[in-house]
Amino acid sequence: MKKKEKKRNGIPARTRRGILAACMVFFFSLQIFQGKMLWRESTGENPGKVLSGKVPAEENERTQIMETTQQKEPVSDAQTAQEKEIREQEREQLLTRLYARSAALVDADSGRVLLGKEEHVMRPMASTTKIMTCILALEKGNPKDLVTASANAVAQPKVHLGMHEGEAFYLGDLLYSLMLESHNDSAVAIAEHLAGSVPQFAGWMNEKAEEIGCTEAHFVTPNGLDGEDVGGVHSISAADLAKIMNYCRKNKTFLEITQAADHSFSNTEGTRQYQVQNKNAFLTMQNGIVSGKTGYTSKAGYCYVCSYEENGRSYSIALLACGWPNHKNYKWEDAKKLIAYGNEHFERKDIRQQNVEQQAEVTGGIRFTEDGWEFPQSVSLQPGEETIERLLALDETVTTQVRLDRKITLPTNTDTAVGSLELYVGKDLVGSQKLYV
Protein backbone atom coordinates (compact mmCIF):
# COMPACT_ATOMS: atom_id res chain seq x y z
CA MET A 1 0.00 0.00 0.00
CA LYS A 2 1.57 3.38 -1.13
CA LYS A 3 2.29 5.78 1.73
CA LYS A 4 0.33 9.00 1.45
CA GLU A 5 2.56 12.10 0.95
CA LYS A 6 2.43 14.77 3.58
CA LYS A 7 1.28 18.16 2.28
CA ARG A 8 2.30 21.63 3.45
CA ASN A 9 0.25 24.62 2.26
CA GLY A 10 -1.35 22.21 -0.16
CA ILE A 11 2.01 21.32 -1.81
CA PRO A 12 3.19 17.71 -1.65
CA ALA A 13 6.62 17.10 -0.08
CA ARG A 14 8.01 15.62 -3.32
CA THR A 15 7.02 18.78 -5.20
CA ARG A 16 8.59 21.00 -2.55
CA ARG A 17 11.85 19.03 -2.78
CA GLY A 18 11.84 19.43 -6.56
CA ILE A 19 11.39 23.18 -6.33
CA LEU A 20 14.21 23.46 -3.78
CA ALA A 21 16.55 21.41 -6.00
CA ALA A 22 15.72 23.61 -9.02
CA CYS A 23 16.50 26.76 -7.03
CA MET A 24 19.86 25.34 -5.88
CA VAL A 25 20.79 24.43 -9.46
CA PHE A 26 19.89 27.97 -10.58
CA PHE A 27 21.96 29.65 -7.89
CA PHE A 28 25.01 27.42 -8.44
CA SER A 29 24.75 27.94 -12.22
CA LEU A 30 24.63 31.69 -11.72
CA GLN A 31 27.74 31.53 -9.53
CA ILE A 32 29.63 29.53 -12.17
CA PHE A 33 28.50 31.96 -14.86
CA GLN A 34 29.86 34.86 -12.87
CA GLY A 35 33.15 33.07 -12.36
CA LYS A 36 33.57 32.83 -16.11
CA MET A 37 32.16 36.24 -17.01
CA LEU A 38 33.86 38.19 -14.23
CA TRP A 39 32.88 41.80 -14.56
CA ARG A 40 34.46 43.21 -17.70
CA GLU A 41 33.19 45.64 -20.30
CA SER A 42 34.03 46.15 -23.94
CA THR A 43 36.38 49.01 -24.69
CA GLY A 44 34.45 51.92 -26.22
CA GLU A 45 35.68 54.81 -28.39
CA ASN A 46 35.11 57.44 -25.71
CA PRO A 47 38.58 58.34 -24.34
CA GLY A 48 37.36 60.79 -21.78
CA LYS A 49 36.58 58.66 -18.70
CA VAL A 50 39.32 58.79 -16.09
CA LEU A 51 39.57 57.01 -12.74
CA SER A 52 42.16 56.80 -10.00
CA GLY A 53 41.32 55.06 -6.75
CA LYS A 54 37.62 54.40 -6.05
CA VAL A 55 35.82 56.84 -8.33
CA PRO A 56 32.15 56.80 -9.39
CA ALA A 57 31.91 55.27 -12.86
CA GLU A 58 29.56 58.04 -14.00
CA GLU A 59 32.24 60.73 -13.64
CA ASN A 60 33.94 61.26 -17.00
CA GLU A 61 36.57 63.93 -16.45
CA ARG A 62 38.25 63.21 -13.11
CA THR A 63 42.00 62.52 -13.18
CA GLN A 64 44.28 61.68 -10.28
CA ILE A 65 47.92 60.62 -10.22
CA MET A 66 48.93 57.57 -8.21
CA GLU A 67 52.52 57.92 -7.04
CA THR A 68 53.98 54.49 -7.59
CA THR A 69 57.63 53.68 -8.02
CA GLN A 70 58.90 50.95 -10.32
CA GLN A 71 62.37 49.74 -9.38
CA LYS A 72 63.60 46.23 -10.10
CA GLU A 73 66.15 46.44 -7.29
CA PRO A 74 65.80 48.34 -3.99
CA VAL A 75 67.58 51.67 -4.14
CA SER A 76 68.04 53.80 -1.03
CA ASP A 77 66.86 57.40 -0.95
CA ALA A 78 70.44 58.54 -0.38
CA GLN A 79 71.69 56.55 -3.37
CA THR A 80 68.88 57.91 -5.55
CA ALA A 81 69.59 61.50 -4.50
CA GLN A 82 73.30 61.04 -5.14
CA GLU A 83 72.69 59.55 -8.58
CA LYS A 84 70.36 62.42 -9.47
CA GLU A 85 72.91 65.00 -8.37
CA ILE A 86 75.69 63.30 -10.36
CA ARG A 87 73.51 63.01 -13.45
CA GLU A 88 72.48 66.67 -13.24
CA GLN A 89 76.08 67.77 -12.91
CA GLU A 90 77.21 65.70 -15.88
CA ARG A 91 74.19 66.88 -17.85
CA GLU A 92 75.09 70.53 -17.32
CA GLN A 93 78.74 69.88 -18.14
CA LEU A 94 77.82 68.04 -21.33
CA LEU A 95 75.46 70.77 -22.52
CA THR A 96 78.27 73.31 -22.27
CA ARG A 97 80.60 71.02 -24.25
CA LEU A 98 78.24 70.36 -27.15
CA TYR A 99 79.07 72.24 -30.34
CA ALA A 100 75.51 72.01 -31.67
CA ARG A 101 73.18 74.90 -30.95
CA SER A 102 70.30 72.42 -30.73
CA ALA A 103 70.57 68.75 -29.74
CA ALA A 104 68.29 65.95 -28.62
CA LEU A 105 68.93 62.46 -27.26
CA VAL A 106 65.60 60.61 -27.50
CA ASP A 107 64.43 57.19 -26.29
CA ALA A 108 63.56 55.40 -29.53
CA ASP A 109 60.79 53.37 -27.89
CA SER A 110 58.89 56.01 -25.92
CA GLY A 111 59.95 59.20 -27.74
CA ARG A 112 61.00 60.77 -24.43
CA VAL A 113 63.80 63.34 -24.60
CA LEU A 114 66.52 62.01 -22.32
CA LEU A 115 68.73 65.04 -22.81
CA GLY A 116 68.16 68.21 -24.77
CA LYS A 117 69.82 71.49 -25.60
CA GLU A 118 67.43 74.05 -27.06
CA GLU A 119 65.68 70.95 -28.40
CA HIS A 120 62.40 72.79 -29.06
CA VAL A 121 63.93 75.68 -31.04
CA MET A 122 63.13 75.45 -34.75
CA ARG A 123 66.19 75.75 -37.03
CA PRO A 124 67.03 74.97 -40.68
CA MET A 125 67.88 71.28 -41.03
CA ALA A 126 69.52 71.03 -44.47
CA SER A 127 69.61 67.53 -46.00
CA THR A 128 68.44 65.74 -42.87
CA THR A 129 65.11 66.72 -44.49
CA LYS A 130 65.60 63.80 -46.85
CA ILE A 131 64.65 61.20 -44.24
CA MET A 132 61.10 62.53 -44.58
CA THR A 133 61.32 62.53 -48.38
CA CYS A 134 62.52 58.92 -48.31
CA ILE A 135 59.89 57.56 -45.92
CA LEU A 136 57.09 59.23 -47.91
CA ALA A 137 58.44 57.73 -51.14
CA LEU A 138 58.54 54.27 -49.53
CA GLU A 139 54.97 54.61 -48.28
CA LYS A 140 53.39 56.25 -51.31
CA GLY A 141 55.47 54.96 -54.21
CA ASN A 142 56.74 51.71 -55.69
CA PRO A 143 60.46 51.00 -56.22
CA LYS A 144 59.64 50.00 -59.82
CA ASP A 145 57.98 53.34 -60.59
CA LEU A 146 59.53 55.18 -63.54
CA VAL A 147 60.62 58.67 -62.54
CA THR A 148 61.33 61.17 -65.32
CA ALA A 149 63.58 64.14 -64.62
CA SER A 150 61.98 67.55 -65.18
CA ALA A 151 63.74 70.81 -66.02
CA ASN A 152 63.20 71.88 -62.41
CA ALA A 153 64.84 68.72 -61.06
CA VAL A 154 67.81 69.01 -63.42
CA ALA A 155 68.35 72.64 -62.37
CA GLN A 156 68.93 71.80 -58.69
CA PRO A 157 72.37 72.82 -57.37
CA LYS A 158 75.05 70.48 -56.15
CA VAL A 159 75.23 68.02 -54.62
CA HIS A 160 73.38 66.38 -57.51
CA LEU A 161 73.26 63.17 -59.53
CA GLY A 162 73.62 65.07 -62.79
CA MET A 163 70.47 63.73 -64.46
CA HIS A 164 69.33 65.08 -67.83
CA GLU A 165 65.88 66.46 -68.57
CA GLY A 166 63.64 63.65 -69.79
CA GLU A 167 65.95 60.95 -68.43
CA ALA A 168 64.07 58.20 -66.59
CA PHE A 169 65.07 56.20 -63.52
CA TYR A 170 63.52 53.65 -61.22
CA LEU A 171 62.29 55.17 -57.98
CA GLY A 172 64.13 52.53 -55.95
CA ASP A 173 67.48 53.57 -57.47
CA LEU A 174 66.82 57.26 -56.85
CA LEU A 175 66.23 56.55 -53.17
CA TYR A 176 69.84 55.34 -52.88
CA SER A 177 70.97 58.48 -54.71
CA LEU A 178 68.86 60.51 -52.27
CA MET A 179 70.08 58.94 -49.03
CA LEU A 180 73.66 57.82 -49.75
CA GLU A 181 75.00 60.89 -51.55
CA SER A 182 72.18 63.36 -50.78
CA HIS A 183 71.49 64.34 -54.38
CA ASN A 184 69.22 67.38 -54.61
CA ASP A 185 67.98 66.68 -58.14
CA SER A 186 66.88 63.18 -57.11
CA ALA A 187 64.85 64.66 -54.24
CA VAL A 188 62.95 67.02 -56.54
CA ALA A 189 62.40 64.33 -59.19
CA ILE A 190 60.96 62.01 -56.54
CA ALA A 191 58.71 64.75 -55.13
CA GLU A 192 57.36 65.75 -58.54
CA HIS A 193 56.78 62.14 -59.55
CA LEU A 194 54.77 61.31 -56.43
CA ALA A 195 52.84 64.54 -55.82
CA GLY A 196 52.95 66.34 -59.16
CA SER A 197 54.80 69.37 -57.75
CA VAL A 198 57.20 70.34 -55.02
CA PRO A 199 54.62 72.48 -53.12
CA GLN A 200 52.15 69.60 -53.12
CA PHE A 201 54.84 67.22 -51.85
CA ALA A 202 55.80 69.72 -49.14
CA GLY A 203 52.17 69.62 -48.06
CA TRP A 204 52.44 65.85 -47.75
CA MET A 205 55.60 66.25 -45.68
CA ASN A 206 53.84 68.57 -43.24
CA GLU A 207 50.84 66.26 -43.00
CA LYS A 208 53.14 63.32 -42.26
CA ALA A 209 55.03 65.30 -39.63
CA GLU A 210 51.73 66.09 -37.89
CA GLU A 211 50.71 62.43 -38.10
CA ILE A 212 53.98 61.40 -36.45
CA GLY A 213 53.34 63.88 -33.65
CA CYS A 214 55.59 66.78 -34.63
CA THR A 215 54.55 70.27 -33.56
CA GLU A 216 57.80 72.09 -34.30
CA ALA A 217 58.39 71.33 -37.97
CA HIS A 218 57.67 73.06 -41.26
CA PHE A 219 58.70 71.61 -44.62
CA VAL A 220 59.04 73.66 -47.81
CA THR A 221 61.58 71.70 -49.90
CA PRO A 222 62.11 67.94 -50.37
CA ASN A 223 65.91 68.26 -50.45
CA GLY A 224 66.49 70.56 -47.47
CA LEU A 225 67.67 73.58 -49.41
CA ASP A 226 66.60 76.80 -47.73
CA GLY A 227 63.04 77.79 -48.57
CA GLU A 228 60.05 79.74 -47.33
CA ASP A 229 56.34 79.80 -48.04
CA VAL A 230 53.24 81.29 -46.46
CA GLY A 231 53.56 78.79 -43.60
CA GLY A 232 57.07 79.87 -42.68
CA VAL A 233 60.68 78.95 -43.32
CA HIS A 234 61.93 75.41 -43.87
CA SER A 235 62.89 74.39 -40.32
CA ILE A 236 62.45 71.91 -37.48
CA SER A 237 63.38 71.39 -33.83
CA ALA A 238 65.94 68.80 -32.78
CA ALA A 239 63.26 67.00 -30.75
CA ASP A 240 60.95 66.65 -33.77
CA LEU A 241 63.77 65.65 -36.12
CA ALA A 242 64.64 62.82 -33.72
CA LYS A 243 60.97 61.91 -33.54
CA ILE A 244 60.83 61.52 -37.34
CA MET A 245 63.93 59.30 -37.23
CA ASN A 246 62.20 57.18 -34.56
CA TYR A 247 59.41 56.67 -37.07
CA CYS A 248 61.68 55.97 -40.05
CA ARG A 249 63.79 53.37 -38.24
CA LYS A 250 60.75 51.09 -38.00
CA ASN A 251 60.73 50.70 -41.81
CA LYS A 252 62.90 47.78 -42.92
CA THR A 253 63.51 49.15 -46.42
CA PHE A 254 64.51 52.53 -45.03
CA LEU A 255 67.17 50.81 -42.92
CA GLU A 256 68.39 48.73 -45.87
CA ILE A 257 68.87 51.84 -47.99
CA THR A 258 70.58 53.94 -45.34
CA GLN A 259 72.88 51.09 -44.26
CA ALA A 260 74.09 50.29 -47.78
CA ALA A 261 77.77 51.03 -48.38
CA ASP A 262 77.16 51.77 -52.06
CA HIS A 263 74.72 51.21 -54.91
CA SER A 264 75.15 50.92 -58.67
CA PHE A 265 72.41 51.58 -61.22
CA SER A 266 71.66 53.02 -64.64
CA ASN A 267 68.93 55.04 -66.25
CA THR A 268 66.06 52.95 -67.58
CA GLU A 269 67.51 52.98 -71.10
CA GLY A 270 70.85 51.68 -69.84
CA THR A 271 72.79 54.44 -71.59
CA ARG A 272 74.33 55.95 -68.44
CA GLN A 273 75.78 54.18 -65.41
CA TYR A 274 75.87 55.57 -61.88
CA GLN A 275 77.47 54.53 -58.60
CA VAL A 276 76.77 56.19 -55.24
CA GLN A 277 78.72 55.84 -52.00
CA ASN A 278 77.32 56.22 -48.48
CA LYS A 279 78.56 59.52 -47.01
CA ASN A 280 77.37 58.74 -43.46
CA ALA A 281 80.78 58.02 -41.97
CA PHE A 282 79.29 57.49 -38.52
CA LEU A 283 77.96 54.08 -39.64
CA THR A 284 81.48 52.64 -39.45
CA MET A 285 82.86 55.10 -36.90
CA GLN A 286 80.49 54.23 -34.02
CA ASN A 287 79.20 50.81 -32.97
CA GLY A 288 75.41 50.55 -32.81
CA ILE A 289 74.50 53.10 -35.50
CA VAL A 290 71.71 51.62 -37.62
CA SER A 291 70.76 54.64 -39.75
CA GLY A 292 71.55 58.29 -40.24
CA LYS A 293 71.60 61.32 -42.52
CA THR A 294 73.97 64.26 -42.74
CA GLY A 295 73.21 67.77 -43.95
CA TYR A 296 74.75 71.15 -44.59
CA THR A 297 73.80 74.56 -45.95
CA SER A 298 75.47 77.86 -45.21
CA LYS A 299 72.38 78.88 -43.23
CA ALA A 300 71.80 75.59 -41.37
CA GLY A 301 75.41 74.71 -40.67
CA TYR A 302 76.30 71.05 -40.23
CA CYS A 303 73.33 68.90 -39.17
CA TYR A 304 73.00 65.24 -38.34
CA VAL A 305 70.31 62.77 -37.34
CA CYS A 306 70.93 59.10 -36.54
CA SER A 307 69.51 56.02 -34.87
CA TYR A 308 71.48 53.94 -32.36
CA GLU A 309 70.75 50.48 -30.98
CA GLU A 310 73.08 48.45 -28.77
CA ASN A 311 73.11 46.67 -25.39
CA GLY A 312 69.38 47.06 -24.86
CA ARG A 313 69.44 50.80 -25.51
CA SER A 314 67.83 52.49 -28.51
CA TYR A 315 68.20 56.20 -29.18
CA SER A 316 67.60 58.70 -31.91
CA ILE A 317 69.95 61.68 -31.94
CA ALA A 318 69.45 65.00 -33.71
CA LEU A 319 71.98 67.83 -34.03
CA LEU A 320 71.28 71.20 -35.64
CA ALA A 321 73.69 74.07 -36.33
CA CYS A 322 76.60 71.88 -35.27
CA GLY A 323 79.43 74.06 -36.57
CA TRP A 324 80.37 75.52 -39.94
CA PRO A 325 83.43 74.96 -42.17
CA ASN A 326 86.03 73.85 -41.29
CA HIS A 327 84.37 71.91 -38.48
CA LYS A 328 82.46 69.13 -40.20
CA ASN A 329 83.62 66.61 -37.55
CA TYR A 330 81.86 68.43 -34.72
CA LYS A 331 78.69 66.45 -35.38
CA TRP A 332 80.49 63.13 -34.87
CA GLU A 333 81.99 64.35 -31.60
CA ASP A 334 78.63 65.58 -30.31
CA ALA A 335 76.88 62.36 -31.28
CA LYS A 336 79.49 60.32 -29.41
CA LYS A 337 79.07 62.47 -26.30
CA LEU A 338 75.31 61.99 -26.31
CA ILE A 339 75.58 58.23 -26.77
CA ALA A 340 78.13 58.00 -23.92
CA TYR A 341 75.85 60.02 -21.64
CA GLY A 342 72.87 57.82 -22.44
CA ASN A 343 74.81 54.60 -21.93
CA GLU A 344 76.19 55.76 -18.58
CA HIS A 345 72.97 57.03 -17.02
CA PHE A 346 70.07 55.09 -18.55
CA GLU A 347 69.16 51.42 -18.43
CA ARG A 348 66.36 49.47 -20.04
CA LYS A 349 63.79 48.45 -17.42
CA ASP A 350 60.45 46.70 -17.40
CA ILE A 351 58.17 49.45 -16.06
CA ARG A 352 54.87 47.53 -16.05
CA GLN A 353 52.92 47.80 -12.82
CA GLN A 354 52.01 44.45 -11.24
CA ASN A 355 50.57 45.28 -7.83
CA VAL A 356 48.19 48.13 -8.44
CA GLU A 357 45.02 48.14 -6.35
CA GLN A 358 42.29 50.17 -8.02
CA GLN A 359 38.53 50.13 -7.51
CA ALA A 360 35.85 51.13 -10.02
CA GLU A 361 32.14 51.44 -9.31
CA VAL A 362 29.84 49.11 -11.24
CA THR A 363 26.16 48.48 -11.83
CA GLY A 364 24.16 45.31 -12.46
CA GLY A 365 26.30 42.87 -10.47
CA ILE A 366 25.44 40.02 -8.10
CA ARG A 367 27.68 37.49 -6.32
CA PHE A 368 27.45 34.73 -3.72
CA THR A 369 29.44 34.99 -0.46
CA GLU A 370 29.51 33.09 2.84
CA ASP A 371 26.86 35.46 4.10
CA GLY A 372 24.62 34.93 1.09
CA TRP A 373 23.94 36.89 -2.09
CA GLU A 374 25.07 40.50 -2.41
CA PHE A 375 25.12 43.24 -5.01
CA PRO A 376 28.67 44.65 -5.40
CA GLN A 377 29.10 48.39 -5.78
CA SER A 378 32.71 48.24 -7.02
CA VAL A 379 35.24 45.86 -8.55
CA SER A 380 39.04 45.64 -8.54
CA LEU A 381 40.96 46.59 -11.67
CA GLN A 382 44.07 44.63 -12.60
CA PRO A 383 46.71 45.66 -15.19
CA GLY A 384 47.66 43.30 -18.00
CA GLU A 385 50.92 41.37 -17.89
CA GLU A 386 52.46 42.60 -21.15
CA THR A 387 56.11 43.65 -20.85
CA ILE A 388 56.83 47.36 -21.29
CA GLU A 389 60.53 48.19 -21.43
CA ARG A 390 61.77 51.77 -21.37
CA LEU A 391 65.00 53.63 -20.65
CA LEU A 392 65.14 54.97 -17.08
CA ALA A 393 67.81 56.63 -15.00
CA LEU A 394 68.48 55.21 -11.54
CA ASP A 395 66.85 58.21 -9.87
CA GLU A 396 63.71 58.21 -12.01
CA THR A 397 60.36 56.81 -10.90
CA VAL A 398 57.17 55.84 -12.69
CA THR A 399 53.79 57.35 -11.81
CA THR A 400 50.48 56.06 -13.08
CA GLN A 401 47.11 57.36 -14.13
CA VAL A 402 44.02 55.21 -14.66
CA ARG A 403 41.77 55.88 -17.62
CA LEU A 404 38.47 54.06 -18.13
CA ASP A 405 36.82 53.89 -21.52
CA ARG A 406 33.25 53.69 -20.21
CA LYS A 407 31.27 52.80 -17.10
CA ILE A 408 31.24 49.14 -16.13
CA THR A 409 27.98 47.22 -16.20
CA LEU A 410 28.01 43.62 -15.04
CA PRO A 411 28.29 40.93 -16.24
CA THR A 412 31.08 41.65 -18.75
CA ASN A 413 33.40 39.71 -21.06
CA THR A 414 36.52 38.71 -19.13
CA ASP A 415 38.79 39.04 -22.17
CA THR A 416 37.95 42.67 -22.90
CA ALA A 417 39.91 45.58 -21.38
CA VAL A 418 37.87 48.28 -19.65
CA GLY A 419 40.56 50.97 -19.77
CA SER A 420 44.27 51.58 -19.45
CA LEU A 421 46.91 52.32 -16.85
CA GLU A 422 49.01 55.15 -18.25
CA LEU A 423 52.69 55.19 -17.26
CA TYR A 424 54.58 58.47 -16.80
CA VAL A 425 58.14 59.50 -16.11
CA GLY A 426 57.80 63.08 -14.96
CA LYS A 427 55.29 64.65 -17.34
CA ASP A 428 56.12 62.30 -20.21
CA LEU A 429 53.72 59.50 -21.12
CA VAL A 430 56.02 56.54 -21.81
CA GLY A 431 53.58 53.62 -22.11
CA SER A 432 50.31 52.10 -20.96
CA GLN A 433 48.88 48.78 -19.77
CA LYS A 434 45.41 47.47 -20.45
CA LEU A 435 43.14 47.21 -17.42
CA TYR A 436 40.82 44.30 -16.68
CA VAL A 437 38.26 43.63 -13.96
Side-chain angles (χ1 to χ4, degrees):
M1 182 175 176
K2 186 179 290 186
K3 186 177 180 181
K4 188 176 181 179
E5 288 190 311
K6 188 176 181 180
K7 293 185 178 182
R8 181 182 298 173
N9 295 328
I11 302 175
R14 180 178 299 176
T15 303
R16 291 199 308 273
R17 289 194 297 272
I19 293 173
L20 178 60
C23 289
M24 292 178 66
V25 169
F26 170 78
F27 287 138
F28 281 117
S29 297
L30 182 59
Q31 188 176 4
I32 292 171
F33 171 78
Q34 285 187 303
K36 293 180 178 179
M37 298 293 292
L38 208 82
W39 313 316
R40 299 249 182 108
E41 182 176 40
S42 299
T43 301
E45 294 300 323
N46 175 14
K49 191 155 296 186
V50 181
L51 291 182
S52 185
K54 184 177 178 181
V55 183
E58 290 75 19
E59 295 186 15
N60 293 342
E61 301 299 335
R62 174 181 269 175
T63 302
Q64 298 178 5
I65 299 293
M66 296 174 358
E67 295 183 355
T68 61
T69 302
Q70 178 68 23
Q71 297 283 358
K72 286 301 178 185
E73 298 179 359
V75 180
S76 67
D77 291 341
Q79 186 179 357
T80 298
Q82 183 181 18
E83 167 63 22
K84 185 174 183 179
E85 182 179 357
I86 292 173
R87 187 164 65 89
E88 285 300 317
Q89 290 175 352
E90 293 191 7
R91 173 183 175 277
E92 293 302 320
Q93 292 172 2
L94 174 58
L95 292 179
T96 62
R97 291 188 292 110
L98 290 176
Y99 295 111
R101 294 181 181 176
S102 288
L105 173 69
V106 177
D107 181 353
D109 294 313
S110 69
R112 182 168 71 105
V113 177
L114 305 178
L115 183 139
K117 175 185 178 181
E118 294 191 12
E119 69 271 26
H120 296 297
V121 176
M122 292 177 65
R123 303 183 187 276
M125 61 286 208
S127 287
T128 59
T129 297
K130 292 180 173 110
I131 67 172
M132 177 64 89
T133 304
C134 183
I135 197 65
L136 277 174
L138 291 173
E139 293 180 352
K140 291 181 176 291
N142 186 305
K144 297 299 182 182
D145 285 353
L146 295 182
V147 179
T148 302
S150 68
N152 183 34
V154 170
Q156 296 302 304
K158 292 183 177 180
V159 178
H160 58 210
L161 179 64
M163 54 180 61
H164 297 164
E165 184 176 356
E167 193 173 15
F169 300 86
Y170 289 113
L171 175 61
D173 290 328
L174 289 185
L175 291 179
Y176 284 91
S177 166
L178 176 79
M179 298 305 291
L180 270 57
E181 293 212 10
S182 201
H183 291 145
N184 294 320
D185 49 358
S186 295
V188 170
I190 291 168
E192 291 178 335
H193 166 73
L194 292 172
S197 69
V198 166
Q200 180 63 37
F201 190 80
W204 287 4
M205 298 172 85
N206 288 314
E207 290 173 2
K208 190 65 180 182
E210 185 177 354
E211 176 189 322
I212 292 172
C214 299
T215 58
E216 301 155 349
H218 183 66
F219 292 92
V220 180
T221 67
N223 49 25
L225 295 179
D226 298 331
E228 184 174 1
D229 60 14
V230 293
V233 298
H234 187 81
S235 57
I236 198 169
S237 69
D240 274 359
L241 182 58
K243 188 177 294 184
I244 294 172
M245 176 54 84
N246 275 352
Y247 179 85
C248 292
R249 70 188 293 274
K250 299 174 185 176
N251 187 293
K252 181 180 178 180
T253 305
F254 181 91
L255 294 181
E256 289 176 353
I257 293 171
T258 56
Q259 290 174 3
D262 54 55
H263 183 72
S264 299
F265 63 99
S266 66
N267 59 18
T268 56
E269 294 183 353
T271 57
R272 300 178 70 197
Q273 306 296 319
Y274 301 87
Q275 185 169 19
V276 291
Q277 307 287 331
N278 198 326
K279 301 303 183 182
N280 179 17
F282 210 49
L283 278 173
T284 55
M285 188 184 303
Q286 172 69 48
N287 291 337
I289 300 300
V290 297
S291 184
K293 184 71 189 74
T294 59
Y296 173 81
T297 67
S298 59
K299 185 177 181 179
Y302 290 111
C303 303
Y304 188 56
V305 62
C306 69
S307 182
Y308 169 91
E309 185 172 345
E310 191 175 49
N311 298 326
R313 300 176 178 87
S314 299
Y315 313 124
S316 284
I317 294 171
L319 302 166
L320 299 175
C322 193
W324 275 259
N326 295 308
H327 300 293
K328 64 187 306 180
N329 291 331
Y330 279 1
K331 59 184 179 290
W332 310 138
E333 295 179 35
D334 277 3
K336 288 180 179 179
K337 294 171 189 174
L338 290 172
I339 291 171
Y341 175 85
N343 288 350
E344 181 178 354
H345 293 289
F346 293 89
E347 293 184 358
R348 196 174 191 85
K349 298 180 181 179
D350 183 1
I351 65 170
R352 60 181 164 171
Q353 306 294 296
Q354 297 173 306
N355 299 307
V356 178
E357 295 183 2
Q358 287 292 291
Q359 295 286 315
E361 288 198 357
V362 296
T363 59
I366 183 173
R367 65 185 171 197
F368 182 75
T369 69
E370 294 180 355
D371 299 324
W373 294 94
E374 64 178 34
F375 299 90
Q377 301 301 306
S378 64
V379 292
S380 296
L381 300 178
Q382 297 297 328
E385 297 181 356
E386 62 271 21
T387 299
I388 303 175
E389 294 186 339
R390 297 292 185 266
L391 291 173
L392 288 183
L394 180 64
D395 59 279
E396 290 182 318
T397 59
V398 176
T399 58
T400 62
Q401 187 168 297
V402 178
R403 183 175 296 275
L404 284 190
D405 299 315
R406 61 172 63 179
K407 69 179 182 180
I408 303 173
T409 302
L410 305 180
T412 64
N413 190 321
T414 57
D415 295 326
T416 303
V418 297
S420 60
L421 184 68
E422 297 178 341
L423 309 176
Y424 290 84
V425 176
K427 296 181 180 180
D428 296 317
L429 176 64
V430 297
S432 64
Q433 293 171 260
K434 293 180 180 179
L435 282 175
Y436 303 91
V437 174

